[in-house]
Amino acid sequence: MSDSLIKPQTLKGFRDYLPEAMIAREKLMDTARRVYRSYGFSPIDTPALEYAEVLLGKGGDESDKQLFRFTDQGDRDVALRFDLTVPFARFAAQHFAELTLPFKRYHIAPVWRGENTQRGRYREFMQCDFDTIGTDANASDIETLMVIHDLMEALGFSRFTIRVNHRQLLNGLLERLGLLDRSVGVLRSLDKLGKIGAEAVTAEMTERVGATAEQAARVLEFAALRGPAGEVLDQVAAAVAGSERGELGVSRLRELFAVCAASGLSEERIQLDVAIARGLDYYTGTIYETFLNDDPKIGSVCSGGRYDNLAGLFTKQPLPGVGASLGLDRLLAAMEGLNLLPTASTTADVLIVCFDGERLGDYMRLGRMLRNWGVATEVYPQARPLKKQMQYADRKGFRAAILAGAEEFAAGVWQVKDLRSATQQPVTTDELLTRIQAILSSP
RNA sequence: GUGGGCAUAGCUCAGCUGGUUAGAGCACCAGAUUGUGGAUCUGGGGGUCGCGGGUUCAAGUCCCGUUGCUCACCCCA
């Protein structure tokens, strides 16, 4: 018998979530939902599984290799979605006639990538996307940045940096340097600057990408520019002068930083960084990456950008768009390392102790009353020793316990115990809600 | 996909150059305390040493394979 037991295990990169982890995850998802909705984004959903041809060739060779792909029972070539943006492109093309443009949607759902795992990198993970399509207005790029900012703040972070760049600015720079035909390689090397350093990037650009030493040096010179966005842009503007796309990128970014300043966003948190490029091929304009100052190694936790032809492979309708994606599970991995995760493993605040098994009806009635008042409440199911029930309340992280036995029922009161301060007092049913609320709102 | 490190109780780990019945702390269970948690004390349960194979009189310890975790490359949330 025992040799036939199946080993309980999950696949590499796939994980179970215990209540403590799941409560934290759901909290982050609720926060993302709330922030997105506060800007007018609407929820959508799409299938996990798509025709492989819908997903293939949209994010570059790398993403094709990482697809979980197989043949279904109807002999169809199918694959699990790799991100939420490509399915959204298909969605937009398919339902174009039903959408009112500009269309703003959010989508919180798991995606799958068959790559090697690392801390904060899994094969199944949750993305929280939001996008605005049907307009190429810079206001949407700016709003996207603001959503990222407000989202990070709502999630409880104050020490984060959103790095902003513009593909056209980069292209303009490369054009002026005569590197436009090698832009993919140059940008890919440049993107590693923060990680491997200027020397290694120079080596890669000259040896692998085929740039001259002078070209590489010029690129790095701009990537190294730091300081107030306006000043950096002045220098970049001079360098791209004469390049139409470069000038466009500069003017877009000028407006972006000006509007951010005017709307009161912290300048420290939003920085122009000419070195970020992003790997996904479909970005054509603004690019965003968000780093935690206290755990930069975990990588970007919220990235995105503008793509001016996202649905081009599905429809002739021009559908420019801009958006970003919060990597929920990566963020959680970072928060775990920084000890920022809440520890409660209950979703209820109040435990009604089962003092006397004969009084179940009274306890259940009290529980319903509290729930009707909006207080999540659990009734302990058996009349076990009080010690056991109090231990249960303590370990699960309840805020308050309500106890009532013969004495209390005779006196017409409930004993309400604040489990954090260990204080207890008898209150009547009329005073109960006020007392509970006082306990719940105490720090 | 490539390379390095790791894998011993629920968790964090110890176990020297292979040698008798594999340990600690925390957690768990019971009691001290039959109307009250987080502290202390006492006692207790729990491990085919990730899995498979090999070398050996003898393997947690050495070798090979495999799975998982982790770090780096690549790429990215």
Side-chain angles (χ1 to χ4, degrees):
Chain A
M1 186 63 166
S2 65
D3 1 326
S4 68
L5 284 179
I6 298 162
K7 185 179 176 191
Q9 60 178 346
T10 51
L11 287 164
K12 180 185 177 73
F14 289 73
R15 303 166 307 152
D16 288 326
Y17 305 94
L18 270 62
E20 211 169 278
M22 201 57 199
I23 286 170
R25 253 174 135 229
E26 285 194 346
K27 193 177 164 192
L28 297 199
M29 285 188 253
D30 285 345
T31 303
R33 236 187 304 271
R34 199 179 65 243
V35 172
Y36 296 160
R37 294 174 80 116
S38 78
Y39 276 84
F41 290 84
S42 305
I44 68 159
D45 201 5
T46 67
L49 214 53
E50 296 268 5
Y51 282 103
E53 65 169 14
V54 167
L55 304 177
L56 286 166
K58 308 302 187 299
D61 295 345
E62 270 315 312
S63 52
D64 287 359
K65 276 190 258 168
Q66 294 177 359
L67 278 181
F68 279 101
R69 187 180 177 186
F70 56 95
T71 304
D72 78 358
Q73 289 86 333
D75 214 30
R76 283 169 284 253
D77 182 12
V78 300
L80 284 166
R81 64 178 169 227
F82 158 96
D83 65 9
L84 300 177
T85 308
V86 172
F88 179 47
R90 192 226 80 222
F91 172 100
Q94 195 169 328
H95 303 288
F96 181 76
E98 303 155 68
L99 304 178
T100 304
L101 300 180
F103 178 66
K104 295 161 78 169
R105 74 92 228 236
Y106 70 87
H107 191 182
I108 299 176
V111 304
W112 295 269
R113 295 184 190 177
E115 65 172 338
N116 248 337
T117 56
Q118 256 181 62
R119 183 172 73 101
R121 301 176 66 158
Y122 312 102
R123 290 185 169 179
E124 177 181 60
F125 60 97
M126 194 64 77
Q127 287 200 322
C128 309
D129 272 39
F130 64 97
D131 288 84
T132 302
I133 58 166
T135 173
D136 61 3
N138 201 25
S140 293
D141 299 57
I142 298 169
E143 185 177 82
T144 299
L145 177 61
M146 287 180 158
V147 173
I148 296 174
H149 177 275
D150 290 359
L151 176 59
M152 293 303 291
E153 216 167 44
L155 290 169
F157 289 94
S158 53
R159 296 174 42 74
F160 60 89
T161 306
I162 306 171
R163 302 211 179 124
V164 184
N165 195 6
H166 201 286
R167 272 277 166 90
Q168 297 311 319
L169 181 156
L170 288 169
N171 287 338
L173 204 56
L174 297 181
E175 185 183 8
R176 300 285 293 150
L177 293 174
L179 280 170
L180 202 53
D181 54 330
R182 302 182 194 281
S183 64
V184 172
V186 172
L187 294 183
R188 190 160 289 169
S189 300
L190 184 60
D191 208 33
K192 299 178 200 166
L193 181 61
K195 218 168 185 179
I196 64 177
E199 209 168 302
V201 169
T202 305
E204 196 170 306
M205 281 187 188
T206 52
E207 287 159 28
R208 235 194 282 176
V209 182
T212 66
E214 198 194 324
Q215 287 171 322
R218 289 277 288 162
V219 172
L220 284 170
E221 195 181 304
F222 286 99
L225 291 176
R226 286 289 174 286
E231 291 174 23
V232 173
L233 283 171
D234 286 343
Q235 298 183 58
V236 175
V240 300
S243 159
E244 200 179 317
R245 56 188 114 210
E247 288 173 0
L248 173 76
V250 169
S251 74
R252 281 265 190 159
L253 286 179
R254 268 198 211 284
E255 187 186 24
L256 181 144
F257 282 101
V259 173
C260 280
S263 8
L265 291 200
S266 150
E267 279 185 42
E268 296 159 27
R269 289 177 179 167
I270 297 166
Q271 292 178 2
L272 173 62
D273 186 341
V274 186
I276 68 163
R278 304 204 38 72
L280 292 176
D281 295 345
Y282 50 68
Y283 291 116
T284 55
T286 327
I287 307 167
Y288 316 91
E289 294 199 337
T290 310
F291 292 87
L292 300 176
N293 298 4
D294 296 318
D295 189 359
K297 281 194 75 183
I298 197 90
S300 174
V301 295
C302 189
S303 308
R306 170 166 284 284
Y307 39 85
D308 274 331
N309 201 15
L310 182 73
L313 287 160
F314 303 106
T315 175
K316 289 177 180 167
Q317 285 293 337
L319 274 178
V322 59
S325 177
L326 175 75
L328 190 99
D329 290 297
R330 174 174 288 188
L331 187 68
L332 276 166
M335 291 175 81
E336 191 184 354
L338 297 171
N339 263 323
L340 293 175
L341 293 182
T343 52
S345 59
T346 174
T347 52
D349 291 315
V350 174
L351 179 73
I352 296 175
V353 169
C354 185
F355 216 115
D356 174 356
E358 301 300 309
R359 292 286 194 163
L360 190 58
D362 291 303
Y363 301 136
M364 290 292 197
R365 185 161 42 89
L366 175 61
R368 296 195 67 217
M369 193 163 77
L370 286 165
R371 288 180 207 112
N372 280 335
W373 287 337
V375 178
T377 304
E378 183 171 333
V379 177
Y380 198 86
Q382 326 165 41
R384 296 185 72 200
L386 280 192
K387 184 184 170 93
K388 295 287 164 214
Q389 299 193 47
M390 294 307 285
Q391 276 182 352
Y392 175 84
D394 186 41
R395 285 171 196 170
K396 285 259 186 132
F398 285 92
R399 297 295 308 274
I402 298 178
L403 304 89
E407 288 174 25
E408 284 74 19
F409 283 111
V413 295
W414 306 101
Q415 291 288 354
V416 179
K417 183 161 187 174
D418 180 334
L419 291 169
R420 291 198 192 163
S421 65
T423 55
Q424 178 175 316
Q425 59 177 266
V427 299
T428 64
T429 301
D430 287 343
E431 303 162 327
L432 188 58
L433 181 60
T434 310
R435 179 68 196 133
I436 294 285
Q437 283 173 337
I439 293 173
L440 297 189
S441 61
S442 68

